[in-house]
Amino acid sequence: MKKLKPGVVTGSDYLALVKNCKSQGFALPAINVTSTNTLNAALEGAMLSKSDIIIQLSNGGAQFFAGKGIKDVDEARVIGAVSAARHAHTIAKAYGICVVLHTDHANKGLIPWVESMIDASEDEFNATGKPLFSSHMLDLSEEPIEENLAECERILNRLAKIDMSLEIELGVTGGEEDGVGSDVDVMDNSKLYTQPEEVLQAYERLSPIGHFSVAAAFGNVHGVYKPGNVQLRPEILQASQKHVQGIYDTKDKPLDFVFHGGSGSSPDEIAEAVSYGVFKMNVDTDTQFTFSKPIGAYVEANPKAFKYQIDPEDGTPFKKQYDPRAWLRECEKSMAERVQKACNELGATGNSIAVP
């Protein structure tokens, strides 16, 4: 097993991380972040679990990271993503773990966002020999497969030159993730299941260019929905692996799969998906909830501090109570605990390959 220096990993180090996950039979949580608080909390949870981690931003998360005060939304999405990446590069080593930097769902309309981030990574690569990000995602699953793969091929040609990877989506993951996707109730259920033939097409077109991973749809749904909306079928991943392996006589599990819509999944469902070559599972809805939950309890415990700077009855100052550091820290600790749970469910706990 290759040991890596703590910090953000790219290029061959990122590939070593993926290879280790699959060979050891575990996956890494991919945590969506929107601020330095959520990013720090995700790193803290992984550090406490002695696990490596994937940090990712949606387009909305990137915009929020830059600040909603920036009126040019397109500009904010790029600035926020680059700012988050630089923050992660600055502090990740201190947490003693390996960190993958990734961006989440980008549909057809968000391709300019992805290309602007690639511009930034190309500049960084030319200056330092490393890109800003480890990988990006294109979610063109709602487009005809030929258009999907042609655009993925074009983008991967750029990424491969600067040691970056591409995540693609085949089939439509139910639910909605930051404006991308739609509710499962209005979607033809057959689209929720990726076919092995589609995965084979992606393998044939993209593997000669560079590294890519596949967000295959096997009934997974973004967000948390009541049971019964859709049936998870992780065996579709296994069928795709065997299909490619059988035709090209590859090694076992030649495809690198990712699991979208992981919030709310049972440990057994997660374990089965991981056994079929999943190295990454997205967790967003659950961590949003656990980050926000402590705020209600904190306000209930300190009600006057959120109405008055000084107690109107006895003159007691409330600065220590309303100080954002106090209640935001409670949010960070709560989210870090949920990240630890994700690491444990995915088998990643204690499996960091960062050099101590």
Side-chain angles (χ1 to χ4, degrees):
M1 177 177 60
K2 182 180 180 181
K3 287 287 186 178
L4 305 175
K5 293 181 180 179
V8 174
V9 295
T10 60
S12 60
D13 287 345
Y14 169 67
L15 298 184
L17 197 71
V18 174
K19 181 179 179 181
N20 184 62
C21 288
K22 291 174 67 179
S23 64
Q24 299 299 317
F26 68 92
L28 297 178
I31 308 298
N32 281 56
V33 300
T34 58
S35 63
T36 55
N37 293 106
T38 53
L39 200 161
N40 294 349
L43 294 182
E44 181 179 359
M47 176 189 68
L48 293 172
S49 298
K50 295 182 172 59
S51 167
D52 301 317
I53 193 170
I54 299 167
I55 298 293
Q56 60 188 24
L57 294 105
S58 66
N59 71 92
Q63 180 194 359
F64 192 84
F65 206 103
K68 298 287 275 190
I70 298 176
K71 302 306 179 185
D72 187 329
V73 174
D74 293 331
E75 180 186 24
R77 287 169 176 160
V78 178
I79 293 173
V82 170
S83 177
R86 295 204 180 281
H87 179 72
H89 276 275
T90 301
I91 69 170
K93 293 178 183 178
Y95 284 85
I97 56 175
C98 293
V99 178
V100 173
L101 283 181
H102 180 65
T103 54
D104 205 2
H105 293 268
N107 59 15
K108 189 174 181 178
L110 289 168
I111 290 175
W113 174 53
V114 174
E115 297 214 80
S116 293
M117 290 186 292
I118 297 174
D119 290 342
S121 274
E122 286 174 341
D123 291 342
E124 185 74 9
F125 187 86
N126 291 333
T128 68
K130 291 186 176 182
L132 271 179
F133 295 88
S134 311
S135 56
H136 291 306
M137 184 197 181
L138 281 186
D139 179 0
L140 304 179
S141 54
E142 294 184 347
E143 311 304 325
I145 189 167
E146 173 58 33
E147 182 179 344
N148 183 345
L149 294 179
E151 195 65 355
C152 289
E153 188 174 1
R154 184 180 72 83
I155 294 296
L156 184 55
N157 269 303
R158 287 190 68 184
L159 295 176
K161 293 174 183 176
I162 54 173
D163 291 339
M164 286 183 63
S165 177
L166 177 68
E167 180 182 318
I168 71 171
E169 182 149 347
L170 298 173
V172 181
T173 300
E176 181 266 346
E177 184 67 41
D178 227 340
V180 180
S182 56
D183 195 287
V184 66
D185 292 337
V186 299
M187 194 174 293
D188 178 1
N189 199 55
S190 66
K191 289 183 178 180
L192 292 174
Y193 301 106
T194 301
Q195 300 305 306
E197 292 77 14
E198 295 174 323
V199 180
L200 177 64
Q201 288 182 57
Y203 179 84
E204 291 174 335
R205 293 187 64 161
L206 301 180
S207 59
I209 301 172
H211 180 263
F212 74 101
S213 57
V214 181
F218 53 97
N220 33 334
V221 178
H222 291 128
V224 176
Y225 292 77
K226 70 179 183 180
N229 273 17
V230 70
Q231 179 66 44
L232 273 179
R233 293 178 57 195
E235 66 271 16
I236 286 175
L237 305 179
Q238 182 185 40
S240 296
Q241 297 279 26
K242 289 184 175 180
H243 189 54
V244 172
Q245 184 179 4
I247 291 177
Y248 285 97
D249 193 26
T250 66
K251 61 183 180 180
D252 188 39
K253 300 175 188 174
L255 301 161
D256 296 331
F257 281 123
V258 304
F259 184 170
H260 285 200
S263 294
S265 299
S266 72
D268 288 344
E269 290 168 338
I270 293 170
E272 185 179 359
V274 170
S275 74
Y276 298 146
V278 166
F279 76 95
K280 165 184 183 274
M281 187 181 82
N282 288 11
V283 183
D284 183 22
T285 306
D286 283 357
T287 47
Q288 284 184 359
F289 177 71
T290 53
F291 184 87
S292 300
K293 187 177 179 180
I295 297 174
Y298 188 90
V299 172
E300 288 177 356
N302 303 277
K304 287 186 177 180
F306 290 88
K307 294 180 179 180
Y308 312 103
Q309 283 187 295
I310 299 173
D311 192 320
E313 297 177 2
D314 60 18
T316 301
F318 290 129
K319 186 178 186 304
K320 289 184 179 180
Q321 286 74 36
Y322 63 71
D323 185 336
R325 290 172 293 184
W327 49 270
L328 280 172
R329 179 56 187 154
E330 294 304 310
C331 298
E332 289 176 345
K333 290 191 294 184
S334 178
M335 180 172 166
E337 288 178 4
R338 181 59 183 86
V339 171
Q340 288 179 265
K341 179 182 177 183
C343 291
N344 190 55
E345 290 176 339
L346 292 168
T349 301
N351 282 321
S352 173
I353 60 173
V355 178

